[in-house]
Amino acid sequence: MIILDTDALGHVQKKDPVGLLIESGLDASPDRDIRITAVTAYEMLGGAVALIDRRKKERRDPIPAFHLLQDLVDYLGRWRGRILPYETAAEQIYRSFPARLRQELKDDARIAAIALAYDAAVWTCNESDYAKVPGLTVFRAETALRVR
Amino acid sequence: MNESRTSTDEILVHFVRPGVGTRDYHLSEGATLADLLRLSGVSMANQAVFIDGVPPEEAVPLRDGVVVTIVPQPRNAAGDEPWRAAVPAFRDEAIFREYSEAMKARRESDPGEEPRA
């Protein structure tokens, strides 16, 4: 099972050059079970809500930010059945991480915990952070190569 | 059907195979995609075919002047793979940048949490 982390998914969503590399790596991967996590959904939607709040506060046009939020909701709908939940097993793994690691990785630590709970590999553009998580399988998303 | 024959009852079809080349075929009016594939000797196995950029029905008659393109099927491709979709709002560089900044600021302001009592 492959989990795309939030940053890797952002590139894929944008279809920028890194995103296209990741997509071609996914095409070539023998592992066809590709997922995202509820943590990524939380981060994406949280970012859109924060954007709306910021524009409202600054008295700027909120409409493009609402459009972005709607696009993200539609996009997440396509992942229905492929969004791994954040549940007790992941929470217990997350709690087992050293406090310093949790503080440093923030929500990425929760993604790592879900990956460990489901025995999944994390595909990320930020492999140096995930590599600090004991026992986690990490792939550099742009190259589709396992780094740990 | 004969690729070298021309008459008013024939249609001209441009057959494009990226990496191989383009070849024009003169087919009888009413000829179908299946006729073209038979004549060209090209198999559709593991290939995707498009007529004027649109996936066709094999039995639909070809029109004069159409461009038929055949390309290798993307490995493991399936229509329901969600990562193939894009987020339209992200095409607007300014709003995408602002969204990325909002996400980053939100992450950085995340205080983490204290262990539960």
Coordinates of all heavy atoms in Angstrom, one line a residue, chain A residues 6-7 10 12-15 23 26-29 32 34 42-44 46-48 50-51 54-55 60 64-65 67-68 71-72 75 78-79 82 91 94-95 102-103 106-107 110, chain B residues 74-116:
Chain A
T6 N 0.8 14.9 2.2 CA 0.1 16.1 1.7 C 0.9 16.9 0.7 O 0.3 17.3 -0.3 CB -0.1 17.0 3.0 OG1 -0.8 16.2 4.0 CG2 -1.0 18.1 2.6
D7 N 2.2 17.0 0.9 CA 3.0 17.8 -0.1 C 3.1 17.1 -1.5 O 2.9 17.7 -2.5 CB 4.4 18.0 0.4 CG 4.4 19.0 1.6 OD1 3.5 19.8 1.6 OD2 5.4 19.0 2.4
G10 N -0.1 17.5 -3.2 CA -0.3 18.9 -3.7 C 0.3 19.0 -5.1 O -0.2 19.7 -6.0
V12 N 0.7 16.6 -7.2 CA -0.1 15.8 -8.1 C -1.4 16.5 -8.5 O -1.8 16.5 -9.6 CB -0.4 14.4 -7.5 CG1 -1.5 13.7 -8.3 CG2 0.9 13.6 -7.4
Q13 N -1.9 17.2 -7.5 CA -3.2 18.0 -7.7 C -2.9 19.1 -8.7 O -3.8 19.5 -9.5 CB -3.6 18.6 -6.4 CG -4.2 17.6 -5.4 CD -4.5 18.3 -4.1 OE1 -3.7 19.0 -3.5 NE2 -5.6 18.0 -3.6
K14 N -1.7 19.7 -8.6 CA -1.4 20.9 -9.4 C -1.0 20.5 -10.8 O -1.0 21.3 -11.8 CB -0.4 21.7 -8.8 CG -0.2 23.1 -9.4 CD 0.6 24.0 -8.5 CE 0.6 25.5 -8.9 NZ 0.8 25.7 -10.3
K15 N -0.5 19.2 -11.0 CA 0.0 18.7 -12.2 C 1.2 19.6 -12.6 O 1.4 19.9 -13.8 CB -1.0 18.8 -13.4 CG -2.3 17.9 -13.1 CD -2.0 16.5 -13.0 CE -3.2 15.7 -12.6 NZ -2.9 14.5 -11.8
E23 N 3.3 11.1 -10.8 CA 2.2 10.4 -11.4 C 2.8 9.2 -12.3 O 2.3 8.1 -12.3 CB 1.4 11.3 -12.3 CG 0.0 10.8 -12.5 CD -0.9 11.9 -13.2 OE1 -0.9 13.1 -12.9 OE2 -1.5 11.4 -14.2
L26 N 3.9 6.5 -10.0 CA 2.7 5.7 -9.6 C 2.3 4.7 -10.7 O 2.0 3.6 -10.4 CB 1.5 6.6 -9.2 CG 1.7 7.5 -8.0 CD1 0.5 8.5 -7.8 CD2 1.8 6.6 -6.7
D27 N 2.3 5.2 -12.0 CA 2.0 4.4 -13.1 C 2.9 3.1 -13.1 O 2.5 2.0 -13.5 CB 2.1 5.1 -14.4 CG 0.9 6.0 -14.6 OD1 -0.1 5.8 -14.0 OD2 1.0 6.9 -15.5
A28 N 4.2 3.4 -12.9 CA 5.2 2.3 -13.0 C 5.2 1.4 -11.8 O 5.8 0.3 -11.9 CB 6.6 2.9 -13.2
S29 N 4.6 1.8 -10.7 CA 4.7 1.0 -9.5 C 3.9 -0.2 -9.6 O 2.7 -0.2 -10.0 CB 4.2 1.9 -8.3 OG 4.1 1.1 -7.2
R32 N -0.5 -1.2 -6.6 CA -1.6 -0.4 -7.2 C -2.6 0.1 -6.1 O -3.6 0.7 -6.4 CB -2.5 -1.2 -8.2 CG -1.7 -1.8 -9.3 CD -0.8 -0.9 -10.0 NE -1.5 0.3 -10.5 CZ -0.9 1.5 -10.7 NH1 0.4 1.7 -10.4 NH2 -1.6 2.5 -11.2
I34 N -3.1 2.7 -3.8 CA -2.6 4.0 -3.6 C -3.7 4.8 -2.8 O -4.9 4.9 -3.2 CB -2.3 4.7 -4.9 CG1 -1.2 3.9 -5.6 CG2 -1.9 6.2 -4.7 CD1 -1.1 4.2 -7.1
Y42 N -7.6 16.8 6.1 CA -7.7 17.8 7.2 C -6.8 19.0 6.9 O -7.2 20.2 7.0 CB -7.3 17.2 8.5 CG -6.8 18.1 9.6 CD1 -7.7 18.9 10.3 CD2 -5.5 18.2 10.0 CE1 -7.2 19.8 11.3 CE2 -5.0 19.0 11.0 CZ -5.9 19.8 11.6 OH -5.4 20.6 12.6
E43 N -5.5 18.7 6.4 CA -4.6 19.8 6.1 C -5.0 20.6 4.9 O -4.9 21.8 4.9 CB -3.2 19.2 5.9 CG -2.5 18.7 7.1 CD -1.1 18.4 6.8 OE1 -0.8 17.4 6.2 OE2 -0.2 19.1 7.3
M44 N -5.5 19.9 3.9 CA -5.9 20.6 2.7 C -7.1 21.5 2.9 O -7.1 22.7 2.6 CB -6.3 19.6 1.6 CG -5.1 18.9 0.9 SD -5.7 17.5 -0.1 CE -7.1 18.1 -0.9
G46 N -8.2 22.5 5.8 CA -7.8 23.5 6.8 C -7.1 24.7 6.1 O -7.3 25.9 6.5
G47 N -6.3 24.4 5.1 CA -5.6 25.4 4.4 C -6.6 26.3 3.6 O -6.4 27.5 3.6
A48 N -7.6 25.7 3.0 CA -8.6 26.5 2.3 C -9.4 27.3 3.2 O -9.7 28.5 2.9 CB -9.5 25.5 1.5
A50 N -8.4 28.5 6.1 CA -7.5 29.5 6.6 C -7.4 30.6 5.5 O -7.3 31.8 5.8 CB -6.2 28.9 6.9
L51 N -7.4 30.2 4.3 CA -7.3 31.2 3.2 C -8.6 32.1 3.1 O -8.5 33.3 3.0 CB -7.1 30.5 1.8 CG -7.1 31.3 0.6 CD1 -5.9 32.3 0.6 CD2 -6.9 30.4 -0.7
R54 N -8.5 34.4 6.0 CA -7.5 35.5 5.8 C -8.0 36.6 4.9 O -7.9 37.8 5.1 CB -6.2 34.9 5.2 CG -5.1 35.9 5.0 CD -3.9 35.3 4.2 NE -3.1 34.5 5.0 CZ -2.0 34.0 4.6 NH1 -1.5 34.2 3.4 NH2 -1.2 33.2 5.4
R55 N -8.7 36.1 3.8 CA -9.2 37.1 2.8 C -10.3 37.9 3.4 O -10.5 39.1 3.2 CB -9.6 36.4 1.6 CG -8.5 36.0 0.7 CD -8.9 35.5 -0.7 NE -7.7 35.6 -1.6 CZ -7.8 36.1 -2.8 NH1 -8.9 36.6 -3.3 NH2 -6.7 36.2 -3.6
R60 N -10.6 41.3 1.5 CA -10.3 41.0 0.1 C -11.4 40.0 -0.5 O -12.1 39.3 0.3 CB -8.9 40.4 -0.1 CG -7.8 41.3 0.3 CD -6.5 40.6 0.5 NE -6.1 40.0 -0.7 CZ -5.4 38.8 -0.7 NH1 -5.0 38.3 0.4 NH2 -5.0 38.3 -1.8
P64 N -12.6 33.6 -4.9 CA -11.6 32.6 -5.4 C -11.2 31.5 -4.3 O -11.0 30.4 -4.6 CB -10.4 33.4 -5.8 CG -10.9 34.8 -6.0 CD -12.0 34.9 -5.0
A65 N -11.2 32.0 -3.0 CA -10.9 31.0 -2.0 C -12.0 30.0 -1.8 O -11.7 28.8 -1.5 CB -10.6 31.8 -0.7
H67 N -14.0 29.1 -4.1 CA -13.9 28.2 -5.3 C -12.9 27.1 -5.0 O -13.1 25.9 -5.3 CB -13.6 29.0 -6.6 CG -14.7 29.7 -7.1 ND1 -14.6 30.7 -8.1 CD2 -16.0 29.7 -6.8 CE1 -15.7 31.2 -8.4 NE2 -16.6 30.6 -7.7
L68 N -11.8 27.5 -4.5 CA -10.7 26.6 -4.2 C -11.2 25.5 -3.2 O -10.9 24.3 -3.4 CB -9.5 27.3 -3.6 CG -8.2 26.5 -3.4 CD1 -7.0 27.3 -3.8 CD2 -8.1 26.0 -2.0
D71 N -13.4 23.1 -5.0 CA -12.6 22.2 -5.9 C -11.9 21.1 -5.0 O -11.9 20.0 -5.4 CB -11.5 23.0 -6.6 CG -12.0 23.8 -7.8 OD1 -13.2 23.6 -8.1 OD2 -11.3 24.6 -8.4
L72 N -11.4 21.5 -3.8 CA -10.8 20.5 -3.0 C -11.8 19.5 -2.5 O -11.5 18.3 -2.4 CB -10.1 21.2 -1.8 CG -8.8 22.0 -2.1 CD1 -8.3 22.7 -0.9 CD2 -7.8 21.1 -2.8
Y75 N -12.5 17.2 -5.3 CA -11.3 16.4 -5.5 C -11.2 15.2 -4.5 O -11.0 14.1 -4.9 CB -10.0 17.2 -5.4 CG -8.7 16.5 -5.7 CD1 -8.3 16.2 -7.0 CD2 -8.0 15.9 -4.6 CE1 -7.1 15.5 -7.2 CE2 -6.9 15.2 -4.8 CZ -6.4 15.0 -6.1 OH -5.3 14.2 -6.3
R78 N -13.3 12.2 -5.2 CA -12.7 11.2 -6.1 C -11.9 10.1 -5.3 O -11.7 9.0 -5.8 CB -11.8 11.8 -7.1 CG -12.5 12.8 -8.1 CD -11.4 13.5 -8.9 NE -12.1 14.4 -9.9 CZ -12.4 14.0 -11.1 NH1 -12.1 12.8 -11.5 NH2 -12.9 14.9 -11.9
W79 N -11.4 10.5 -4.1 CA -10.6 9.5 -3.3 C -11.5 8.7 -2.4 O -11.0 7.9 -1.6 CB -9.6 10.3 -2.5 CG -8.5 10.8 -3.4 CD1 -8.4 11.9 -4.1 CD2 -7.2 10.1 -3.6 NE1 -7.2 12.1 -4.7 CE2 -6.4 10.9 -4.4 CE3 -6.6 8.9 -3.2 CZ2 -5.2 10.6 -4.9 CZ3 -5.4 8.6 -3.6 CH2 -4.6 9.4 -4.4
R82 N -10.5 5.5 -0.6 CA -9.1 5.4 -0.6 C -8.5 6.4 0.4 O -7.3 6.7 0.4 CB -8.5 5.8 -2.0 CG -8.9 4.8 -3.1 CD -8.3 5.4 -4.4 NE -8.7 4.7 -5.5 CZ -7.9 3.8 -6.2 NH1 -6.7 3.6 -5.8 NH2 -8.3 3.2 -7.3
E91 N -3.4 6.4 16.4 CA -3.2 7.3 17.6 C -2.2 6.7 18.6 O -1.3 7.4 19.1 CB -4.5 7.6 18.3 CG -4.5 8.4 19.6 CD -4.1 9.9 19.4 OE1 -3.9 10.3 18.3 OE2 -4.0 10.6 20.4
Y94 N 1.2 7.0 17.1 CA 1.6 8.4 17.2 C 2.1 8.7 18.6 O 3.2 9.4 18.8 CB 0.4 9.3 16.8 CG 0.7 10.8 17.0 CD1 1.4 11.5 16.1 CD2 0.1 11.4 18.1 CE1 1.6 12.9 16.2 CE2 0.3 12.8 18.3 CZ 1.0 13.5 17.3 OH 1.2 14.8 17.5
R95 N 1.4 8.3 19.6 CA 1.7 8.6 21.0 C 3.0 7.9 21.4 O 3.7 8.3 22.4 CB 0.6 8.1 22.0 CG -0.6 8.8 21.8 CD -0.6 10.1 22.6 NE -1.6 11.0 22.2 CZ -1.6 12.3 22.3 NH1 -0.5 12.9 22.8 NH2 -2.5 13.1 21.8
R102 N 7.2 14.2 17.4 CA 5.8 14.6 17.1 C 5.8 16.1 16.9 O 5.1 16.6 16.0 CB 4.9 14.3 18.3 CG 4.8 12.8 18.6 CD 3.5 12.5 19.4 NE 3.4 13.2 20.6 CZ 3.7 12.7 21.8 NH1 4.1 11.4 21.9 NH2 3.7 13.4 22.9
Q103 N 6.6 16.8 17.7 CA 6.6 18.3 17.7 C 7.2 18.7 16.3 O 6.8 19.7 15.7 CB 7.4 18.9 18.8 CG 7.2 20.4 19.0 CD 5.8 20.7 19.4 OE1 5.1 20.0 20.0 NE2 5.4 21.9 18.8
K106 N 4.9 17.4 13.3 CA 3.5 17.8 13.4 C 2.6 16.8 12.7 O 2.7 15.6 13.1 CB 3.4 19.2 12.8 CG 4.2 20.3 13.6 CD 3.9 21.6 13.1 CE 4.8 22.7 13.7 NZ 4.7 22.9 15.1
D107 N 1.8 17.2 11.8 CA 0.8 16.3 11.2 C 1.4 15.2 10.3 O 0.8 14.2 10.1 CB -0.3 17.0 10.4 CG -1.3 17.7 11.3 OD1 -1.6 17.2 12.4 OD2 -1.7 18.8 11.0
R110 N 1.5 12.1 12.2 CA 0.2 11.4 12.2 C 0.1 10.5 10.9 O -0.4 9.4 10.9 CB -1.0 12.3 12.3 CG -1.0 13.0 13.7 CD -2.3 13.8 13.9 NE -2.2 14.7 15.0 CZ -2.5 14.4 16.3 NH1 -2.8 13.1 16.5 NH2 -2.4 15.2 17.2
Chain B
P74 N -1.5 3.5 -21.1 CA -0.7 3.7 -19.9 C -0.7 2.5 -19.0 O -1.8 1.9 -18.8 CB -1.3 4.9 -19.2 CG -2.2 5.6 -20.2 CD -2.5 4.5 -21.2
R75 N 0.4 2.1 -18.5 CA 0.5 0.9 -17.7 C -0.4 1.0 -16.5 O -0.4 2.0 -15.8 CB 1.9 0.7 -17.2 CG 2.1 -0.6 -16.5 CD 3.6 -0.8 -16.1 NE 3.6 -1.9 -15.1 CZ 4.7 -2.1 -14.4 NH1 5.7 -1.3 -14.5 NH2 4.7 -3.1 -13.6
N76 N -1.2 0.0 -16.3 CA -2.1 -0.1 -15.1 C -3.2 1.1 -15.1 O -3.7 1.4 -14.1 CB -1.3 0.0 -13.8 CG -0.4 -1.2 -13.7 OD1 -0.8 -2.3 -14.0 ND2 0.8 -0.9 -13.2
A77 N -3.4 1.7 -16.2 CA -4.3 2.8 -16.2 C -5.7 2.4 -16.0 O -6.1 1.3 -16.4 CB -4.2 3.6 -17.6
A78 N -6.4 3.2 -15.2 CA -7.8 2.9 -15.0 C -8.5 4.2 -14.9 O -7.9 5.2 -14.4 CB -8.0 2.1 -13.8
G79 N -9.8 4.3 -15.3 CA -10.5 5.6 -15.3 C -10.8 6.1 -13.9 O -11.0 7.3 -13.8
D80 N -10.7 5.3 -12.9 CA -11.1 5.8 -11.6 C -9.9 6.1 -10.7 O -10.0 6.1 -9.5 CB -12.0 4.7 -10.9 CG -11.3 3.4 -10.6 OD1 -10.2 3.2 -11.2 OD2 -11.8 2.6 -9.9
E81 N -8.8 6.3 -11.3 CA -7.6 6.6 -10.5 C -7.6 8.1 -10.1 O -7.4 8.9 -11.0 CB -6.3 6.2 -11.2 CG -6.2 4.7 -11.4 CD -5.0 4.2 -12.2 OE1 -4.6 5.0 -13.1 OE2 -4.5 3.1 -12.0
P82 N -7.9 8.4 -8.8 CA -8.1 9.8 -8.5 C -7.0 10.7 -8.6 O -7.1 11.9 -8.8 CB -8.6 9.7 -7.0 CG -8.0 8.4 -6.5 CD -8.0 7.4 -7.7
W83 N -5.7 10.2 -8.6 CA -4.6 11.0 -8.7 C -4.4 11.6 -10.1 O -3.6 12.5 -10.4 CB -3.3 10.3 -8.3 CG -3.0 9.0 -9.0 CD1 -2.3 8.9 -10.2 CD2 -3.5 7.8 -8.7 NE1 -2.4 7.6 -10.6 CE2 -3.1 6.8 -9.6 CE3 -4.3 7.3 -7.6 CZ2 -3.4 5.5 -9.6 CZ3 -4.6 5.9 -7.5 CH2 -4.1 5.0 -8.5
R84 N -5.2 11.1 -11.1 CA -5.1 11.6 -12.4 C -5.9 13.0 -12.5 O -5.7 13.7 -13.5 CB -5.7 10.7 -13.4 CG -5.0 9.3 -13.4 CD -5.0 8.6 -14.7 NE -4.4 7.3 -14.6 CZ -3.1 7.2 -14.5 NH1 -2.2 8.2 -14.7 NH2 -2.6 6.0 -14.3
A85 N -6.7 13.2 -11.5 CA -7.5 14.5 -11.6 C -6.6 15.6 -11.1 O -5.6 15.4 -10.4 CB -8.7 14.3 -10.7
A86 N -7.0 16.8 -11.5 CA -6.3 18.0 -11.1 C -7.3 18.9 -10.3 O -8.5 18.6 -10.3 CB -5.8 18.8 -12.3
V87 N -6.8 19.8 -9.6 CA -7.6 20.8 -8.9 C -7.7 22.1 -9.7 O -6.7 22.8 -9.8 CB -7.1 21.1 -7.4 CG1 -7.9 22.2 -6.8 CG2 -7.1 19.8 -6.6
P88 N -8.8 22.4 -10.3 CA -8.9 23.5 -11.3 C -8.4 24.8 -10.7 O -7.7 25.6 -11.3 CB -10.4 23.6 -11.6 CG -10.9 22.2 -11.4 CD -10.1 21.6 -10.3
A89 N -8.7 25.1 -9.4 CA -8.3 26.3 -8.8 C -6.8 26.5 -8.7 O -6.3 27.6 -8.7 CB -9.0 26.5 -7.4
F90 N -6.1 25.4 -8.7 CA -4.6 25.5 -8.6 C -4.0 26.0 -9.9 O -2.8 26.3 -9.9 CB -4.1 24.1 -8.3 CG -4.2 23.7 -6.9 CD1 -5.0 24.4 -6.0 CD2 -3.7 22.5 -6.4 CE1 -5.2 24.0 -4.7 CE2 -3.9 22.1 -5.1 CZ -4.6 22.9 -4.2
R91 N -4.8 26.1 -11.0 CA -4.2 26.7 -12.2 C -4.0 28.2 -12.0 O -3.2 28.8 -12.8 CB -5.2 26.4 -13.4 CG -5.1 25.0 -13.9 CD -5.7 24.9 -15.3 NE -7.2 25.1 -15.3 CZ -8.1 24.1 -15.2 NH1 -7.7 22.9 -15.2 NH2 -9.4 24.4 -15.2
D92 N -4.7 28.8 -11.1 CA -4.5 30.2 -10.8 C -3.3 30.3 -9.9 O -3.4 30.0 -8.7 CB -5.7 30.8 -10.2 CG -5.6 32.3 -9.8 OD1 -4.4 32.7 -9.6 OD2 -6.6 32.9 -9.7
E93 N -2.1 30.7 -10.4 CA -0.9 30.7 -9.6 C -1.0 31.5 -8.4 O -0.5 31.1 -7.3 CB 0.3 31.2 -10.5 CG 0.8 30.2 -11.5 CD 1.4 28.9 -10.9 OE1 1.9 29.0 -9.7 OE2 1.4 27.9 -11.6
A94 N -1.6 32.7 -8.5 CA -1.7 33.6 -7.3 C -2.5 32.9 -6.2 O -2.1 33.0 -5.0 CB -2.4 34.9 -7.8
I95 N -3.6 32.3 -6.5 CA -4.5 31.8 -5.5 C -3.8 30.5 -4.9 O -3.9 30.2 -3.7 CB -5.9 31.5 -5.9 CG1 -6.9 31.2 -4.7 CG2 -6.0 30.3 -6.8 CD1 -7.3 32.5 -4.1
F96 N -3.1 29.8 -5.8 CA -2.4 28.6 -5.3 C -1.3 29.0 -4.3 O -1.1 28.3 -3.3 CB -1.8 27.8 -6.5 CG -1.0 26.6 -6.0 CD1 -1.6 25.5 -5.5 CD2 0.4 26.6 -6.1 CE1 -0.9 24.4 -5.1 CE2 1.2 25.6 -5.6 CZ 0.5 24.4 -5.1
R97 N -0.6 30.0 -4.7 CA 0.5 30.5 -3.8 C 0.0 30.9 -2.4 O 0.5 30.6 -1.4 CB 1.3 31.6 -4.5 CG 2.6 32.0 -3.9 CD 3.5 32.8 -4.7 NE 2.8 33.9 -5.3 CZ 2.6 34.1 -6.6 NH1 3.0 33.2 -7.5 NH2 1.9 35.2 -7.1
E98 N -1.1 31.7 -2.5 CA -1.8 32.1 -1.3 C -2.2 31.0 -0.4 O -2.1 31.0 0.8 CB -2.9 33.0 -1.6 CG -3.1 34.3 -0.8 CD -4.3 35.1 -1.2 OE1 -4.4 35.4 -2.4 OE2 -5.1 35.4 -0.3
Y99 N -2.8 30.0 -1.1 CA -3.3 28.8 -0.4 C -2.1 28.0 0.3 O -2.2 27.6 1.4 CB -4.0 27.9 -1.4 CG -4.2 26.4 -0.9 CD1 -5.1 26.1 0.0 CD2 -3.5 25.4 -1.5 CE1 -5.3 24.7 0.4 CE2 -3.6 24.1 -1.2 CZ -4.5 23.8 -0.2 OH -4.7 22.5 0.2
S100 N -1.0 27.9 -0.5 CA 0.2 27.2 0.0 C 0.7 28.0 1.3 O 1.1 27.3 2.3 CB 1.3 27.1 -1.0 OG 0.8 26.4 -2.1
E101 N 0.7 29.3 1.2 CA 1.2 30.1 2.3 C 0.3 29.9 3.5 O 0.7 29.8 4.7 CB 1.3 31.6 1.9 CG 2.4 31.9 1.0 CD 2.3 33.3 0.4 OE1 1.4 34.0 0.7 OE2 3.1 33.6 -0.5
A102 N -1.0 29.9 3.3 CA -2.0 29.7 4.4 C -1.8 28.3 5.0 O -1.8 28.2 6.3 CB -3.4 29.8 3.9
M103 N -1.6 27.3 4.2 CA -1.3 26.0 4.8 C -0.1 26.0 5.6 O 0.0 25.4 6.7 CB -1.1 25.0 3.6 CG -2.4 24.3 3.2 SD -2.1 23.0 2.0 CE -1.9 21.6 3.0
K104 N 1.0 26.6 5.1 CA 2.3 26.6 5.8 C 2.1 27.4 7.1 O 2.6 26.9 8.1 CB 3.3 27.3 4.9 CG 4.7 27.2 5.4 CD 5.7 27.8 4.4 CE 7.1 27.8 5.0 NZ 8.0 28.8 4.4
A105 N 1.5 28.5 7.1 CA 1.3 29.3 8.3 C 0.5 28.5 9.3 O 0.8 28.5 10.5 CB 0.6 30.6 8.0
R106 N -0.5 27.8 8.8 CA -1.3 27.0 9.7 C -0.5 25.9 10.4 O -0.6 25.6 11.6 CB -2.5 26.4 8.9 CG -3.7 26.0 9.7 CD -4.9 25.8 8.8 NE -5.8 25.0 9.6 CZ -5.8 23.7 9.6 NH1 -4.9 23.0 9.0 NH2 -6.8 23.1 10.3
R107 N 0.4 25.3 9.6 CA 1.2 24.2 10.1 C 2.2 24.7 11.2 O 2.4 24.2 12.2 CB 2.1 23.6 9.0 CG 1.4 22.4 8.3 CD 2.4 21.8 7.3 NE 1.7 21.1 6.3 CZ 2.1 20.7 5.1 NH1 3.3 21.1 4.8 NH2 1.4 20.0 4.3
E108 N 2.8 25.9 10.8 CA 3.8 26.5 11.7 C 3.2 26.9 13.0 O 3.8 26.9 14.1 CB 4.5 27.6 11.0 CG 5.5 27.1 10.0 CD 6.1 28.1 9.1 OE1 5.8 29.3 9.2 OE2 7.0 27.8 8.3
S109 N 1.9 27.3 13.0 CA 1.3 27.8 14.2 C 0.6 26.7 15.0 O 0.1 26.9 16.1 CB 0.2 28.8 13.9 OG -0.9 28.2 13.2
D110 N 0.7 25.4 14.4 CA 0.2 24.3 15.1 C 1.0 24.1 16.4 O 2.2 23.8 16.4 CB 0.3 23.1 14.2 CG -0.2 21.8 14.9 OD1 -0.6 21.8 16.1 OD2 -0.2 20.7 14.2
P111 N 0.4 24.2 17.6 CA 1.1 24.1 18.8 C 1.5 22.7 19.2 O 2.2 22.5 20.2 CB 0.2 24.7 19.8 CG -1.2 24.5 19.3 CD -1.1 24.4 17.8
G112 N 1.0 21.7 18.4 CA 1.1 20.3 18.8 C 0.2 20.1 19.9 O -0.8 20.8 20.1
E113 N 0.4 19.1 20.7 CA -0.5 18.9 21.9 C 0.3 18.3 23.0 O 1.3 17.7 22.8 CB -1.7 18.0 21.4 CG -1.4 16.5 21.4 CD -0.3 16.2 20.4 OE1 -0.4 16.7 19.2 OE2 0.6 15.5 20.7
E114 N -0.3 18.5 24.1 CA 0.3 17.9 25.4 C -0.2 16.5 25.5 O -1.4 16.2 25.1 CB -0.1 18.8 26.6 CG 0.5 20.2 26.6 CD 2.0 20.1 26.5 OE1 2.6 19.3 27.3 OE2 2.6 20.9 25.7
P115 N 0.5 15.6 26.1 CA 0.0 14.3 26.3 C -1.3 14.4 27.2 O -1.4 15.3 28.0 CB 1.2 13.6 27.1 CG 2.4 14.4 26.8 CD 1.9 15.8 26.6
R116 N -2.2 13.4 26.9 CA -3.4 13.4 27.6 C -3.2 13.2 29.1 O -2.3 12.4 29.5 CB -4.3 12.3 27.0 CG -4.9 12.7 25.7 CD -5.7 11.5 25.2 NE -6.0 11.7 23.8 CZ -6.4 10.7 23.0 NH1 -6.5 9.5 23.5 NH2 -6.7 10.9 21.8

